[in-house]
Amino acid sequence: KFLRFVQEISLRFDGSAYCTMLRNDAYWFSRLGLHLERADNTARILDVKYHMLLPEEEHVGGPLDYYQWTSILRSVSALTAYHWVYRETLKPWLIADLLILNDTLPRSLASCYGNLVRNLDQIGVAYSRQGPAQRHARGIRNRLDHSRMDDIFQRGLHEFIQEFIADNA
């Protein structure tokens, strides 16, 4: 009951802020916080699943693995989006692609950083200057734009995500 109350109040606040706030620095800073936190949470959720959850005696692609990937997508409200985008059974590299590189999913790292750059640019215009946060966010966004899932998996998804989390912080 308490969690439903918190969820409802949070959604009301977010909806009110998004629909009614003047588009000034207060609005852009609140959006920065939302997208920074969303990117961090998505990265951590994906990392926990990929790096830690599957017991050693279970094999990748088994029933437990499938259930866990489904839970990950549900936890970020992306299960339906996955099926719309890929139209196939759950595959770890496609799930990672959706949550990391797919700009059309609002919770993806790429989408979060696209929004971060846009909001930082708005702040930069309002104050007639750019700063290190803006350059840093652009660098992360460019790295995501030029990443391919094959390369990420070859290098190591856990390592990629850990680097992202450190850069995001």
Side-chain angles (χ1 to χ4, degrees), residues 30-152:
S30 73
R31 293 281 115 182
L32 287 176
L34 179 136
H35 294 295
L36 277 170
E37 182 180 13
R38 182 177 284 173
D40 184 71
N41 288 339
T42 298
R44 289 177 191 277
I45 287 169
L46 183 58
D47 192 40
V48 163
K49 164 56 185 124
Y50 192 78
H51 189 66
M52 303 174 97
L53 283 183
L54 190 65
E56 287 185 30
E57 60 272 2
E58 288 289 328
H59 70 347
V60 174
L64 180 60
D65 193 40
Y66 182 85
Y67 175 74
Q68 287 176 345
W69 281 117
T70 301
S71 296
I72 294 303
L73 287 171
R74 284 181 200 267
S75 73
V76 295
S77 302
L79 183 60
T80 300
Y82 175 88
H83 291 296
W84 283 353
V85 171
Y86 300 107
R87 300 190 188 279
E88 4 185 337
T89 60
L90 299 182
K91 296 181 180 162
W93 57 90
L94 293 178
I95 294 168
D97 181 69
L98 181 70
L99 296 180
I100 295 172
L101 301 178
N102 193 316
D103 249 337
T104 60
L105 181 73
R107 288 197 172 273
S108 77
L109 306 184
S111 177
C112 288
Y113 264 83
N115 286 310
L116 282 165
V117 167
R118 277 189 287 284
N119 285 299
L120 285 165
D121 285 347
Q122 292 289 348
I123 293 168
V125 168
Y127 289 95
S128 301
R129 61 183 178 171
Q130 292 186 7
Q134 198 172 5
R135 288 187 291 278
H136 186 73
R138 262 203 198 98
I140 294 171
R141 176 62 191 171
N142 285 336
R143 192 172 12 166
L144 290 167
D145 280 345
H146 294 98
S147 293
R148 292 177 358 148
M149 199 45 57
D150 292 343
D151 297 333
I152 291 171

Side-chain angles (χ1 to χ4, degrees), residues 8-22:
E8 183 180 332
I9 295 300
S10 297
L11 288 170
R12 283 184 187 182
F13 173 81
D14 190 53
S16 294
Y18 186 72
C19 293
T20 63
M21 272 182 83
L22 183 65

